[in-house]
Amino acid sequence: MSDITAIETVLGDDSLHGITKRQQIFELLCAKPQRGAGVAAEYLAETEDEAGADYVAQYLALIPGAHAEKTRAAERLRQAGVLARAAAWLVPWLPDELLDGFVSDYLAETKPSASPASSVVYSIGLFQPDRLRPYADRLEPHMRRALLSGAPDELVDAFLRVWQETHDLSRLEALALIRTDHARERLLAARDTVDEPADWEELMELAGTLPDSGRPSGFRPAHMAFIVDKGEGPHVVGGPFQGDVPVCLECEEPAERVLDLAAASLPFGLKNDASFFWYACECEATDSTTVRITPDGGTHVYFGPAAPASDTGSLVPGGERALVIEEHPNQVGISDEAMAGNSQHQVGGLPQWITVDRHPRCPECGTYMPFLASIGGDLTPFGELGFEGCLYGFWCDDCCVSSTKYQS
Ligand SMILES: [Zn+2]
Ligand SMILES: [Zn+2]
């Protein structure tokens, strides 16, 4: 049976739920050479199946690189009626002319919201807001928040005027999400106009500056990150860990090390490798873990009980995997909120919160910690992660302390 026929057979099996079909297609593609990119592009070049196109494009978005295959697939999807929607997954890798093509398809519709290109255009707003900005007044309202990222200084000043007149804090939040030097300067100067110091501090972190130290609240450049097989990248995802870890306050199950970032393989000038920890149980007894990596390679756990890590991990499918990174198309930072279970991982840049939240303080030096990485739950090419929301990792490199915050 050809690879394409095998995918079609899974899709045609009425006894399977959509989620099971997707999982089986992922397994099938993952076992192919080049992580299945070629087979996926071949399938997308000819399919008429809307669900199939969506699953396979979603799979392609979980693997790094493969620009040629992703572009070939998107070019064909653009010509395939409602199937064009699936190209939204591929936007970070597509060439400018093709992205502009989707935008003109969308704008040419008498009712753009009904256009299959609508979801592609929304995604272009997230990853390349500058491309979409000239057409801002012709876009659907839900697309406009994405365009805050890197918006011109006049918009910063306009938000500030409305804030001064109305004291509507959402205007200052919009200003913070613009994340340019001008936005940060204006927010800094507006400090005394915000009643609650904590509100102003949160906005500063969101805009890209830690409110106490004045240091950046994230590392540059920003990267998208991808879970690949063990040994295929310098950073470790899941797998065994030697040392004490936090323990769930309810079921007493030890947490697992989700991610270990190799400092020497990152362009951030970090001195120490950073490790992040989370729970495999579903008790949700706490929303964060805080751990110091000690000079002897051991750990110290803050704010709760600790126990040795268990030998078997269940957060990451198949045990130990690796992480590779690719420069993010939006270096300013995506300004729209993340959706739970969107499976996007990030290293560097600023956090794309599901709900805007504070950065934690380092328990050693007492200063606010910069964001370093996030792991979005749900899907990997190898199966599902053991959590659904998103883990946000903060790191104090001077003290070797990590804080991992969970949102769903
Ligand atoms: Zn538990
Ligand atoms: Zn510290």
Side-chain angles (χ1 to χ4, degrees), residues 248 251 281 283:
C248 172
C251 72
C281 64
C283 304

Side-chain angles (χ1 to χ4, degrees), residues 228-289:
V228 295
D229 211 355
K230 183 180 175 178
E232 288 184 348
H235 315 291
V236 177
V237 181
F241 178 75
Q242 304 286 327
D244 280 2
V245 291
V247 170
C248 172
L249 297 170
E250 257 176 63
C251 72
E252 300 187 343
E253 202 180 296
E256 296 177 20
R257 186 187 60 183
V258 184
L259 175 65
D260 181 71
L261 292 173
S265 298
L266 293 172
F268 305 143
L270 296 175
K271 300 185 291 283
N272 301 296
D273 295 352
S275 287
F276 301 94
F277 301 84
W278 197 245
Y279 301 99
C281 64
E282 288 173 5
C283 304
E284 296 194 13
T286 174
D287 65 357
S288 68
T289 62

Side-chain angles (χ1 to χ4, degrees), residues 210 213 215-219 260-276 290-295 302 360-373 393-403:
L210 294 171
S213 62
R215 288 186 298 200
S217 54
F219 295 90
D260 181 71
L261 292 173
S265 298
L266 293 172
F268 305 143
L270 296 175
K271 300 185 291 283
N272 301 296
D273 295 352
S275 287
F276 301 94
T290 308
V291 176
R292 177 162 56 96
I293 312 298
T294 54
Y302 299 88
R361 271 183 201 273
C362 170
E364 291 295 320
C365 66
T367 60
Y368 288 114
M369 300 163 78
F371 168 78
L372 179 55
F394 300 83
W395 178 246
C396 181
D397 196 42
D398 290 335
C399 306
C400 259
V401 172
S402 82
S403 179

Side-chain angles (χ1 to χ4, degrees), residues 6-25 55:
I7 295 174
E8 284 167 348
T9 306
V10 173
L11 287 165
D13 185 342
D14 292 334
S15 71
L16 301 177
H17 282 293
I19 289 173
T20 314
K21 289 180 184 177
R22 183 177 66 181
Q23 190 178 329
Q24 291 191 1
I25 291 169
Y55 299 152

